[in-house]
Amino acid sequence: MIPDYLKFIRTQDKKILPFLFLVVFIMIGFYWKNNGYKFNQSDTYYLSGIVGILLFSSIYELKAFWAYKCVTKAIDFTFFSGKRLGRVEKWCSHPSIVSILFIAILGLFIQICFLFHSSLYALIPLLMISPICIYGVFRILRTSYIKQVATAAVDKVKYKHLYLYIFSYLLPGVILNLLTISPLKREADFSLQAGVFSSRLVVAMFILCCIVLMMNMLFTRLSKRYIFLGRLFLKEIDFYFSVSLPWPAFYDKPFWLRIILLMIIEFVWIILVSLLLAWSGLQLWFEIYFLICFLPCIGFNYLHIYALWHRDFLMACDMYFRWGAIEKQTHLW
């Protein structure tokens, strides 16, 4: 029996809210640890930026997911009969606009917390309120996006190639990484004042890059096949979205061997970058230095994600064609 919309979202919400709490706790916890287990008013922009990017990531694919649910008639959407989407609602529901407004409001809230509480007591309401706020925005936009599905199809594809789509995914992730590791510039192990070509800094940066890569790869395990199917229904991508894998020799090697090769390349790369900066005398911000050192890991993560999502896209195409054949058999519906 096809579940009605209200019953389905109650089941979905039981999974979403704990997941949001877990992700927010992890990212804020990493920032808190990197910041020496303390907060102050100067951290407001970093904290609001971290939570804002988490919000953006949670709603960016929401319309495509509901397009898949609506077209395949997986849920009874009679709840939305006669409901229309307003022009202002459509404009305000864009993920980028929502995230910017959310960052501004959350930043103001954090500033108020610091006015009345110490850093520890400011952390507690931040950890409790942020996931609930993300969930509230998620619920509002869910209704808005479902009403948009019927009129969301476009004549021009939004993403012509998978590498553009991956870039749009990696960019917020890289910004999130920079915000999270930014407090480490005040730590002695990561100080650039004693010179960039020091064994202490090289080893610390190598370990940091490995940890950040591990966290990035952990969050890429979620399947995208239903998202790609929804984007196919919305005509935001076409069947030339991902034709083949780049650099086939990379995927011929076992995963453990690829990781070992990456670690060797990463360590040598950090030494070369540090040596070049020490020789040139060029002064860089800590975040820029980390980003340059992290480039091999970004390249590895890109190829890793490409393989996962290329497979998911092929599965989505297969589901799309199967759905077309099923839909022609009108006696089934």
Side-chain angles (χ1 to χ4, degrees), residues 17-59:
L17 195 54
F19 177 76
L20 291 176
F21 269 98
L22 177 63
V23 173
V24 171
F25 276 34
I26 289 175
M27 300 312 300
I28 298 297
F30 270 117
Y31 183 87
W32 186 47
K33 179 199 176 292
N34 294 338
N35 203 33
Y37 301 102
K38 61 181 183 296
F39 285 143
N40 52 59
Q41 284 190 327
S42 62
D43 299 314
T44 299
Y45 305 106
Y46 295 97
L47 293 171
S48 58
I50 289 172
V51 180
I53 292 175
L54 294 177
L55 168 70
F56 179 83
S57 301
S58 66
I59 64 176

Side-chain angles (χ1 to χ4, degrees), residues 62-81:
L62 202 53
K63 186 190 296 184
F65 173 79
W66 285 109
Y68 147 72
K69 288 292 185 181
C70 290
V71 174
T72 58
K73 303 175 184 177
I75 305 169
D76 182 4
F77 287 99
T78 54
F79 173 79
F80 292 92
S81 298

Side-chain angles (χ1 to χ4, degrees), residues 232-248:
L232 284 170
F233 286 138
L234 292 173
K235 299 180 181 179
E236 292 182 349
I237 60 176
D238 56 23
F239 301 112
Y240 299 97
F241 181 62
S242 180
V243 180
S244 61
L245 291 173
W247 197 12

Side-chain angles (χ1 to χ4, degrees), residues 166-189:
I166 295 177
F167 176 79
S168 67
Y169 169 83
L170 287 178
L171 182 59
V174 170
I175 297 175
L176 182 63
N177 293 335
L178 295 177
L179 292 175
T180 306
I181 61 95
S182 180
L184 291 174
K185 60 191 173 186
R186 293 186 286 268
E187 295 290 331
D189 291 340

Side-chain angles (χ1 to χ4, degrees), residues 29-136:
F30 270 117
Y31 183 87
W32 186 47
K33 179 199 176 292
N34 294 338
N35 203 33
Y37 301 102
K38 61 181 183 296
F39 285 143
N40 52 59
Q41 284 190 327
S42 62
D43 299 314
T44 299
Y45 305 106
Y46 295 97
L47 293 171
S48 58
I50 289 172
V51 180
I53 292 175
L54 294 177
L55 168 70
F56 179 83
S57 301
S58 66
I59 64 176
Y60 185 66
E61 308 284 9
L62 202 53
K63 186 190 296 184
F65 173 79
W66 285 109
Y68 147 72
K69 288 292 185 181
C70 290
V71 174
T72 58
K73 303 175 184 177
I75 305 169
D76 182 4
F77 287 99
T78 54
F79 173 79
F80 292 92
S81 298
K83 295 187 177 182
R84 303 294 179 184
L85 179 71
R87 182 179 301 178
V88 176
E89 182 183 0
K90 182 178 180 180
W91 183 82
C92 292
S93 63
H94 192 280
S96 300
I97 295 175
V98 171
S99 300
I100 293 173
L101 293 175
F102 183 84
I103 290 173
I105 295 173
L106 183 64
L108 180 61
F109 170 78
I110 297 173
Q111 289 278 11
I112 294 174
C113 288
F114 280 124
L115 291 177
F116 296 98
H117 302 288
S118 64
S119 62
L120 179 60
Y121 292 107
L123 172 64
I124 296 174
L126 176 64
L127 290 176
M128 299 306 298
I129 294 296
S130 297
I132 296 176
C133 291
I134 294 177
Y135 170 72

Side-chain angles (χ1 to χ4, degrees), residues 147-162:
K147 290 189 289 185
Q148 290 184 41
V149 168
T151 59
V154 295
D155 297 329
K156 186 177 180 181
V157 296
K158 184 176 181 180
Y159 298 101
K160 292 185 178 180
H161 303 286
L162 179 57

Side-chain angles (χ1 to χ4, degrees), residues 240-268:
Y240 299 97
F241 181 62
S242 180
V243 180
S244 61
L245 291 173
W247 197 12
F250 173 81
Y251 302 103
D252 291 338
K253 299 177 176 59
F255 180 75
W256 62 268
L257 181 57
R258 281 181 268 164
I259 288 291
I260 293 176
L261 292 175
L262 172 65
M263 295 298 100
I264 297 173
I265 294 173
E266 177 66 31
F267 191 73
V268 174

